[in-house]
Amino acid sequence: MLLNIPDVLSREQVQYCRAKLDVADWVDGRVSAGYQGSLVKENRQLPENSAVARELGDIVLAAIECNPLFISASLPSKVYPPMFNRYTGGQHFGNHVDNAIRLLPGSGDKIRTDVSATLFLADPDEYDGGELLIEDTYGVQSIKLPAGHMVIYPSTSLHRVNPVTRGARLAAFFWLQSLVREDAQRSILFDMDTAIQKLNQTSGDAKAILHLTGCYHNLLRMWSNP
Ligand code: NI
């Protein structure tokens, strides 16, 4: 399931991040790529352990932790600390699939990447190109969102970033291990949760809502693996 999540960061938060990113030290983006990825990746990244990356990463983590749409759609178990990238002057990232397993910095714990996320930090009119192209069941989806908005998609997807031919494309990106490993099961749970929320708001039949809510939790119990 591919989902756009609007307004993850406020305009003020985006401006704050941009001010920090404008004066940050960037390194070759291949430092975090696997072998296949390193062959097709051409961009810049903040070093994972830099103070700026950690400070801005914490802002992103705090924002997603209280975003109901993000929680409902991804059911996060472990979240990789957000990283930041920058594409200018024709830089791009060719077709690849994200690494399945990553080591969490510091702890050495392993995280399985079930869901990939890109949080846009530049507005679409600030740069040309730079679309995130994701191949899903229904063809190739082209994603270029306003600053502060985020897309999440299954980490199993083949995806790429088009060359940026004008301006700069700035984004945060991260992965998460979900309580529910299978994308199809997460989609069912998300649809069900969305429907239950709507019924709650429209004062639907309370007994029916209770049964549906029970079904949601019993499916989550059956499918989740914390
Ligand atoms: Ni990727």
Side-chain angles (χ1 to χ4, degrees):
M1 173 182 53
L2 186 154
L3 183 72
N4 292 339
I5 303 177
D7 303 314
V8 171
L9 294 185
S10 66
R11 295 310 295 188
E12 293 72 29
Q13 286 175 310
V14 169
Q15 280 165 7
Y16 182 83
C17 293
R18 287 289 297 269
K20 294 273 179 174
L21 293 174
D22 280 349
V23 294
D25 291 322
W26 298 84
V27 297
D28 190 324
R30 282 174 288 198
V31 289
S32 67
Y35 173 72
Q36 194 274 331
S38 69
L39 300 177
V40 292
K41 185 174 186 181
E42 196 195 323
N43 67 3
R44 308 288 284 171
Q45 278 177 200
L46 287 191
E48 280 189 63
N49 289 323
S50 69
V52 181
R54 295 289 50 85
E55 186 202 345
L56 302 187
D58 286 345
I59 292 174
V60 174
L61 287 177
I64 59 172
E65 274 166 18
C66 59
N67 186 301
L69 191 57
F70 168 77
I71 300 291
S72 176
S74 68
L75 297 168
S77 170
K78 295 189 231 175
V79 181
Y80 195 90
M83 296 166 67
F84 296 84
N85 61 18
R86 185 169 189 266
Y87 294 77
T88 55
Q91 288 178 327
H92 64 283
F93 196 165
N95 258 340
H96 66 283
V97 172
D98 294 338
N99 287 356
I101 306 289
R102 304 197 78 96
L103 289 178
L104 281 167
S107 71
D109 281 351
K110 295 185 183 71
I111 176 172
R112 185 189 62 241
T113 57
D114 295 322
V115 176
S116 298
T118 295
L119 170 61
F120 288 78
L121 292 171
D123 276 312
D125 62 1
E126 293 183 81
Y127 59 99
D128 289 335
E131 298 85 1
L132 173 60
L133 299 174
I134 303 167
E135 297 196 8
D136 79 358
T137 328
Y138 305 106
V140 178
Q141 310 291 322
S142 177
I143 313 289
K144 187 170 177 175
L145 300 177
H149 294 213
M150 183 168 83
V151 62
I152 59 172
Y153 56 99
S155 301
T156 49
S157 317
L158 196 63
H159 58 279
R160 62 185 180 275
V161 176
N162 273 344
V164 172
T165 54
R166 176 188 66 87
R169 176 196 192 271
L170 289 147
F173 64 101
F174 61 92
W175 305 272
L176 65 89
Q177 181 170 318
S178 176
L179 294 166
V180 176
R181 179 180 189 154
E182 292 299 328
D183 179 59
Q185 292 173 336
R186 282 197 307 274
S187 295
I188 291 169
L189 289 167
F190 177 59
D191 285 346
M192 204 166 178
D193 188 35
T194 306
I196 291 168
Q197 302 296 332
K198 282 212 178 97
L199 284 171
N200 274 325
Q201 285 160 14
T202 53
S203 321
D205 183 311
K207 209 168 173 187
I209 295 174
L210 180 64
H211 280 297
L212 273 177
T213 307
C215 289
Y216 173 84
H217 284 285
N218 289 332
L219 281 174
L220 183 56
R221 208 183 320 277
M222 194 185 298
W223 290 340
S224 63
N225 202 358

